[in-house]
Amino acid sequence: MNDRSAAPGGLALIESLVNTLDLESGADALDTAQGRVRFGLPETVDGAGDAADELARARELRESLRATLLAHAGHPPHREVTPLGELLASAPLLVTIDERDGSASLAPSGPAPTASLLSRTAAAVADALIAGTWTRLKACEAVTCHWAYYDRSPAGRGRWCSMQVCGARAKMRRYRAK
């Protein structure tokens, strides 16, 4: 749905995770092995067990992120969700120091391929906070969309993921209502 370029840095991970669910069609990329592998989730999920629990946690994280991105755009949550702060509080992170220049950053604990999606998300949020870009990641205000997008508008007041689709629909509804 989104015709914008990807969010910068680690926000691209968050944007792509939120956009795994198409609210209008109901299609969920996390239902496919290819969609799960993109986020380091197990390829196969057999009903119950660790893989199913990990997939359920990823979906919970996705919807908490969506609610937060809606808040960035000034909208209420789309449904009842676990607050993002509660989820990220349990993410194991390490402070890493670059020996060459002494710069510090937060990184997921464990090797990169096996670092949990929750830890990678927490590190991305922390980096975006430092860079001042966190609140620019928003969710489209269209109720049938709520697609994540990075707001590059000068004033930071973007409302839709796509002006050609969601924006045009909203403007047409307003015009017809007159």
Side-chain angles (χ1 to χ4, degrees):
M1 182 93 56
N2 192 331
D3 59 356
R4 298 172 184 253
S5 57
L11 289 179
L13 167 71
I14 295 169
E15 180 181 50
S16 62
L17 177 60
V18 171
N19 292 345
T20 57
L21 178 63
D22 183 337
L23 293 178
E24 194 167 25
S25 71
D28 187 346
L30 296 181
D31 287 341
T32 68
Q34 182 181 5
R36 289 187 296 272
V37 168
R38 281 181 37 210
F39 298 100
L41 299 170
E43 282 186 54
T44 58
V45 178
D46 300 329
D50 291 341
D53 290 344
E54 195 171 344
L55 180 58
R57 285 190 299 273
R59 286 187 168 127
E60 179 183 34
L61 175 61
R62 174 183 65 197
E63 297 312 312
S64 291
L65 284 164
R66 186 183 318 276
T68 300
L69 301 186
L70 281 166
H72 287 175
H75 303 292
H78 59 302
R79 64 182 177 89
E80 188 75 25
V81 296
T82 304
L84 184 59
E86 285 182 27
L87 293 177
L88 296 182
S90 63
L93 295 173
L94 298 172
V95 175
T96 60
I97 307 295
D98 186 323
E99 293 178 13
R100 290 170 284 141
D101 66 3
S103 62
S105 65
L106 285 176
S109 65
T114 60
S116 77
L117 179 58
L118 185 63
S119 294
R120 289 181 290 141
T121 300
V125 169
D127 288 344
L129 280 170
I130 292 166
T133 57
W134 173 234
T135 57
R136 288 283 185 143
L137 190 61
K138 299 177 179 180
C140 181
E141 77 174 38
V143 176
T144 58
C145 182
H146 293 323
W147 207 253
Y149 68 95
Y150 188 76
D151 184 0
R152 287 184 166 79
S153 66
R157 292 192 212 160
R159 299 171 63 185
W160 302 288
C161 64
S162 167
M163 196 58 211
Q164 290 72 27
V165 179
C166 293
R169 287 177 184 171
K171 288 180 176 193
M172 187 55 70
R173 275 192 295 274
R174 268 198 314 270
Y175 173 77
R176 288 181 180 156
K178 287 182 182 180

